[in-house]
Amino acid sequence: MTRTITILGATGSIGASTLDLIRRERGKWRVVALTANCQAEELARLAREFSAEVAVVADEASLPALREALAGSGITSAGGAEALVEAAARPADITLAAIVGCAGLAPTMAAIEQGRTVALANKEALVSAGDVMLAAVRKHGATLLPVDSEHNAIFQCLAGNSYEHVRSITLTASGGPFRDWDAEQLAAATPAQAIKHPNWDMGAKISVDSATMFNKGLELIEAHHLFPVGLEKLRIVVHPQSVVHSMVEYRDGSTLAQLGPSDMRVPIASCLAWPERMETPCAPLDLAALGELTFRAPDEVRFPATRLCRQAAEAGGAVPAVLNAANEVAVAAFLGGQVSFTRIAVMVETMISRYEPAAPASLDDVIAVDAEARVLARELLELA
Ligand code: NDP
């Protein structure tokens, strides 16, 4: 039977991994919509290859290039924020939410509001809009499947068990490219060094988040929403080999872990086939060749991000949205050479201590908090 899929953020790293899996099972899938921000030609190439019904660029200025690249193909093209939301609301059996940043929130919510199955990679959307998004999932009967490798691992380890028996959930962290760097080296870290992750091949923003450990902090908030066992039961352990993707400990002392290669096609495949399984081209795990798996406690002095994220999750309300917006602005400034690596966490801490808007009750509220926090974070940058 053919299944239909929409991929939000098709031109990114997660988009590419998803399309690689679809390409291997072409006869089983029909592509509804593919979206990008501004990479019009790449989007058009993918839309043609996968005979998508619609291709959408969020950046309206990129629409003429998309139209030209799709001329004669019969594929509908559109541009702008509204077009993105309309594409996300089109009927599809599964929607892969893989836009980077809070920019993915509105289209992801559009798919949820249609009661769709949403495979969520876009962690910033859940961090910013956690309560609002989960309320919409419940109200519209949508299904949220976690793509993030850690959350996908936890989701698999929880299958068939109940939250009341969970003693703790441990998220593993590679520690990023700077895990053994001292404070002086961290202060001088360059964007090129930060985006060179030792284990994973990812987009620039998440690679920087991985280097600062904000990625793990955002994942802590994500886990807090997806697996409601209580923040005090959520732990983080540094595991440089990225083979154990996360684990769940039960009250009888059993710990279930999910292991696999550092390849996002594994968790993506788990979502695409759920509740079944599908083939991936990933090499089988060879534990003897790996030799050893090591674990250590995170260092929150050199990497304050996980402490700040836990603090934001405890505070709840608008604080996680402010934290996320500040981090997005700070990461963009770091990648643009405007601020140092260590300034990212300082900026985020300043923002969450200074700006406390009311708890958002709707999607529009979250978008307003996000927009205002970005303005304030940019002002803070200029003052620095
Ligand atoms: P990339 O930067 O590789 O891709 C981002 C995608 O989002 C691109 O298609 C991009 O379009 C699109 N996009 C960027 N900005 C906007 C915008 N303002 N409006 C609409 N679309 C936009 O990111 P990744 O694939 O690495 O990550 C995507 C999400 O998945 C992130 O939330 C990340 O945290 C999460 N994730 C990623 C993992 C990974 O291994 N990469 C692992 C786990 C989670 P364009 O190409 O035109 O710029």
Side-chain angles (χ1 to χ4, degrees), residues 7-17 35-40 42-43 56-59 62 84 96-104 107 120-125 147-150 200-207 209 215 218-219 222 263-264 267-268:
I7 303 174
L8 307 172
T11 48
S13 157
I14 293 288
S17 293
T35 82
N37 185 33
C38 55
Q39 286 204 71
E42 175 62 4
L43 180 65
V56 180
V57 277
D59 171 34
S62 304
L84 195 62
L96 209 298
I99 290 174
V100 62
C102 204
L120 185 76
N122 181 202
K123 65 190 83 183
E124 298 91 346
V147 170
D148 226 339
S149 58
E150 296 76 2
W200 299 92
D201 182 12
M202 309 183 286
K205 194 262 176 181
I206 185 176
S207 297
D209 283 347
N215 184 46
L218 297 177
E219 287 177 8
E222 192 183 2
D263 189 322
M264 284 306 294
I268 294 169

Side-chain angles (χ1 to χ4, degrees), residues 68-148:
E68 195 184 320
L70 285 176
S73 67
I75 298 166
T76 306
S77 54
E82 258 178 54
L84 195 62
V85 166
E86 277 167 25
R90 283 185 169 232
D93 294 324
I94 185 162
T95 302
L96 209 298
I99 290 174
V100 62
C102 204
L105 176 57
T108 302
M109 285 290 282
I112 289 171
E113 284 165 3
Q114 300 299 317
R116 307 254 184 274
T117 295
V118 175
L120 185 76
N122 181 202
K123 65 190 83 183
E124 298 91 346
L126 182 60
V127 166
S128 301
D131 295 338
V132 168
M133 187 183 281
L134 291 182
V137 167
R138 285 188 294 272
K139 180 174 172 193
H140 299 283
T143 301
L144 212 51
L145 299 173
V147 170
D148 226 339

